[in-house]
Amino acid sequence: MKNLIFQEPKERVTDGTSGISYAWNSIRASVIVPLLHLAIILCSVMSLMLFIERVYMAIVILYVKVLRKKRYTEYKLEEMKEDLELNKSYPMVLVQIPMYNEKEVYKLSIGAACGLSWPSDRLIVQVLDDSTNEVLRKLVELECLKWTEKGVNVKYETRKNRNGYKAGALKEGLEKQYVKNCQFVVIFDADFQPDEDFLWRTIPYLLENKELGLVQARWKFVNADECLMTRLQEMSLDYHFSVEQEVGSSTCQFFGFNGTAGVWRIQAIEDAGGWKDRTTVEDMDLAVRASLKGWKFVFVGDLGVKNELPSTFKAYRYQQHRWSCGPSNLFRKMTREIILCERVSVWKRLYLIYAFFIVRKIIAHWVTFFFYCIVIPTSVLVPEIQLTKPIAIYIPATITLLNAVCTPRSFHLIVFWILFENVMSLLRAKAAIIGLLEANRVNEWVVTEKHGNTKKQKNNIKTLKKSRSRVGERLHVLELIMGTFMLYCAIYNLIFCQDHFFVYLLLQAGAFFIMGFGYVGTSVPN
């Protein structure tokens, strides 16, 4: 194992006999080198775990694509549609749209939901408005009244508080008397715009298979070309939907609910204990609990729903904190429940604990930050440690290529994607630790800022550029510290080492500085 990770140093370091040199060599030999050895071994093991998981998912995807074994293709969708139209046995469907001060997008989401093709007497559109802006509340209510006058059954619901945030709103929405006759509930966040045939391409799955609790569609981004940051986000999310969700659906019929663009069987929600607000990932929480009750999920990869990516760095950071902290906190709360659950197979429990939570939600963040941004750069300063190429180059390169291949149109941006993801791994790794320890900010919930369609966004860019005037908002101290550390390692490597590792270190240092000063996304400091 040691030979696979380390190689013999090319030159031995001679001990200095005077002052600082002697002290540094003593500390390095007795403390730093052993600790760095241990850190490299631990990170190498985690890196191998992530590598094996990525290769396994790549094999599964190749299998289901080549042999056309995707789970959703096994259903007889057209026959179910014909049966529905022939017998007129349309189920009652509830569409929930939770929103909070969504000034730029509320018309888009309400209009898209009210335009869904389904018998009007079998469809209820429920707008759950938690807005604190009274003027905006009135505007949203007027929009609902407009669609009511057009014959759509729209229910406008507000609360006196925001208890439970999104989970609380969805839970209270399901408790309304008029929902009792509904079999299915569709959830769309405020920036999501489904095509009018969405229900016809999802509900039949649930009607055909009574064991099915959730049908999830993929996301389609309307502003992916707005800036470099949105293009890089698209690359990461394309991998999530094309690989992670598809693999979960095809192997054990489980994956994390994405919180929107999905259809739930209301009975499955009730069996799982309903919505809970104990973490910031109420959607994943519900999915795990429903899965442990025996409900199955299907991911429909050819059904996309238009939505918006966060285009400001501030909004993206809040979103990523929530998405990284929530899963690790949920893992802490549900590990025992998953292990002791006898209703599902050992394989499914192992998949949930090892693959879904440990590798994808925790190790993926830790490896990216601690190994590639801390341990490997530090090894430059310690000549006694020389990493082998498989650990330092081949495994990270393979993982990167497997991620990037899902977005061919952005493959030329792969270097920018690597640098961007490495910088973001600092925030994600910290958030994952906060979730595991239930430390400060564990339940922080900040709604992702949205700006409407792409035409509006272009007009709003000038306004956005003035929105980050506070020093505290535009400077990210930890990123700047990391940039300084990377720069020091790069200079040291350039002067004292005989390789070209300084090129990567300089690029990565530049990325940390750029993002540390807030020069990324559509909103930049003046």
Side-chain angles (χ1 to χ4, degrees):
M1 177 69 179
K2 185 176 180 180
N3 291 334
L4 292 174
I5 300 175
F6 303 103
Q7 64 182 21
E8 290 297 323
K10 295 180 180 179
E11 57 182 27
R12 295 187 178 274
V13 181
T14 58
D15 290 332
T17 57
S18 62
I20 297 175
S21 177
Y22 179 78
W24 163 245
N25 288 332
S26 299
I27 294 172
R28 184 173 65 190
S30 60
V31 179
I32 295 177
V33 172
L35 285 177
L36 195 56
H37 261 103
L38 178 60
I40 288 175
I41 291 171
L42 290 175
C43 288
S44 297
V45 171
M46 290 193 294
S47 186
L48 284 170
M49 291 168 66
L50 183 61
F51 172 75
I52 292 169
E53 172 68 8
R54 291 289 191 264
V55 171
Y56 159 74
M57 290 194 291
I59 293 171
V60 172
I61 285 299
L62 285 174
Y63 172 78
V64 298
K65 284 192 173 183
V66 171
L67 299 182
R68 297 184 179 181
K69 293 287 185 179
K70 291 183 179 180
R71 184 70 62 178
Y72 66 90
T73 60
E74 298 175 1
Y75 289 83
K76 300 174 182 178
L77 200 62
E78 292 302 322
E79 291 183 14
M80 288 302 301
K81 288 181 183 178
E82 292 175 5
D83 183 64
L84 271 177
E85 294 175 344
L86 182 64
N87 298 319
K88 306 296 182 183
S89 56
Y90 304 103
M92 197 74 179
V93 178
L94 172 71
V95 178
Q96 290 186 311
I97 310 174
M99 57 177 60
Y100 173 73
N101 294 338
E102 308 286 2
K103 179 181 178 182
E104 301 294 340
V105 295
Y106 73 91
K107 286 186 178 181
L108 296 174
S109 57
I110 294 174
C114 292
L116 289 171
S117 174
W118 201 254
S120 59
D121 61 329
R122 310 300 292 170
L123 180 68
I124 301 174
V125 177
Q126 187 185 65
V127 178
L128 305 168
D129 189 9
D130 274 358
S131 298
T132 53
N133 185 320
E134 291 299 328
V135 175
L136 183 55
R137 275 195 176 196
K138 191 63 180 176
L139 291 173
V140 175
E141 186 177 10
L142 288 173
E143 184 69 15
C144 293
L145 288 173
K146 183 183 80 172
W147 284 100
T148 301
E149 292 171 356
K150 293 181 179 180
V152 182
N153 189 1
V154 183
K155 304 291 185 181
Y156 176 71
E157 304 289 352
T158 61
R159 301 191 295 167
K160 294 181 180 180
N161 55 63
R162 291 190 67 211
N163 292 344
Y165 302 110
K166 181 180 176 180
L170 294 171
K171 180 180 180 180
E172 291 188 25
L174 289 177
E175 292 172 353
K176 301 299 179 182
Q177 188 61 38
Y178 56 81
V179 176
K180 301 302 180 184
N181 294 326
C182 295
Q183 290 179 250
F184 309 112
V185 57
V186 191
I187 301 169
F188 294 117
D189 281 350
D191 59 316
F192 277 70
Q193 305 163 53
D195 293 334
E196 64 176 21
D197 64 346
F198 180 87
L199 297 179
W200 287 103
R201 297 176 66 182
T202 52
I203 298 294
Y205 292 107
L206 294 156
L207 294 175
E208 182 178 343
N209 185 355
K210 301 301 180 183
E211 296 181 346
L212 207 60
L214 168 67
V215 177
Q216 174 73 59
R218 69 178 295 146
W219 298 357
K220 187 166 58 177
F221 312 109
V222 298
N223 65 328
D225 294 324
E226 186 177 359
C227 62
L228 180 60
M229 190 180 80
T230 53
R231 283 289 291 271
L232 302 179
Q233 288 179 67
E234 181 190 36
M235 293 175 70
S236 299
L237 288 169
D238 276 351
Y239 178 82
H240 167 69
F241 286 107
S242 300
V243 178
E244 292 179 344
Q245 298 295 72
E246 194 68 71
V247 168
S249 178
S250 299
T251 53
C252 58
Q253 299 186 69
F254 167 80
F255 47 83
F257 173 45
N258 293 117
T260 178
V263 186
W264 276 97
R265 190 186 300 273
I266 293 180
Q267 184 185 346
I269 296 177
E270 293 172 349
D271 285 352
W275 291 100
K276 294 185 178 181
D277 60 354
R278 56 182 175 174
T279 70
T280 57
V281 283
E282 73 293 322
D283 42 17
M284 186 182 295
D285 188 347
L286 176 62
V288 174
R289 286 184 283 113
S291 180
L292 294 179
K293 292 293 183 180
W295 290 100
K296 298 177 180 178
F297 306 161
V298 67
F299 172 70
V300 186
D302 64 355
L303 175 59
V305 180
K306 291 183 290 185
N307 72 295
E308 181 184 325
L309 292 164
S311 58
T312 66
F313 191 41
K314 179 181 177 181
Y316 184 62
R317 284 174 61 86
Y318 278 128
Q319 182 201 68
Q320 292 303 298
H321 172 83
R322 191 171 76 244
W323 285 6
S324 304
C325 178
S328 61
N329 187 231
L330 181 63
F331 174 65
R332 172 190 170 119
K333 294 178 184 296
M334 292 204 66
T335 303
R336 179 180 173 82
E337 184 179 345
I338 295 170
I339 293 173
L340 297 179
C341 180
E342 297 180 355
R343 189 162 183 173
V344 297
S345 65
V346 174
W347 156 250
K348 192 166 188 176
R349 280 178 277 167
L350 180 64
Y351 175 83
L352 273 168
I353 292 175
Y354 175 78
F356 184 76
F357 277 115
I358 294 179
V359 177
R360 298 182 200 169
K361 308 303 181 185
I362 299 174
I363 283 180
H365 303 321
W366 288 2
V367 165
T368 307
F369 177 64
F370 291 114
F371 198 26
Y372 305 146
C373 298
I374 297 289
V375 175
I376 292 181
T378 302
S379 67
V380 169
L381 308 176
V382 184
E384 292 91 337
I385 294 178
Q386 296 287 327
L387 290 172
T388 60
K389 287 185 178 180
I391 291 295
I393 300 175
Y394 300 150
I395 288 179
T398 304
I399 292 173
T400 300
L401 291 172
L402 290 175
N403 274 269
V405 75
C406 294
T407 314
R409 80 185 192 100
S410 298
F411 197 78
H412 63 289
L413 299 174
I414 191 169
V415 173
F416 294 101
W417 182 79
I418 293 170
L419 300 175
F420 179 77
E421 286 294 299
N422 284 349
V423 175
M424 289 306 302
S425 70
L426 166 58
L427 181 144
R428 292 168 182 154
K430 184 178 75 170
I433 293 172
I434 289 172
L436 284 173
L437 300 180
E438 290 200 324
N440 190 30
R441 293 184 66 197
V442 68
N443 291 316
E444 180 183 75
W445 180 280
V446 179
V447 176
T448 305
E449 185 182 14
K450 307 170 187 76
H451 302 289
N453 58 45
T454 51
K455 289 182 180 179
K456 276 189 177 182
Q457 288 164 11
K458 290 177 181 177
N459 295 329
N460 286 344
I461 285 177
K462 291 183 179 180
T463 304
L464 289 170
K465 286 183 178 179
K466 297 178 182 179
S467 65
R468 297 181 68 182
S469 57
R470 296 180 185 175
V471 173
E473 286 187 1
R474 69 173 184 255
L475 292 183
H476 305 288
V477 177
L478 291 180
E479 280 80 356
L480 294 175
I481 292 173
M482 283 300 304
T484 304
F485 167 71
M486 287 278 191
L487 181 61
Y488 175 79
C489 292
I491 295 172
Y492 186 94
N493 181 263
L494 177 63
I495 297 174
F496 297 106
C497 302
Q498 298 180 359
D499 55 42
H500 298 89
F501 192 50
F502 68 88
V503 176
Y504 159 73
L505 293 172
L506 284 173
L507 290 173
Q508 193 62 70
F512 270 107
F513 280 127
I514 289 170
M515 295 173 71
F517 282 112
Y519 283 92
V520 63
T522 57
S523 178
V524 297
N526 296 324

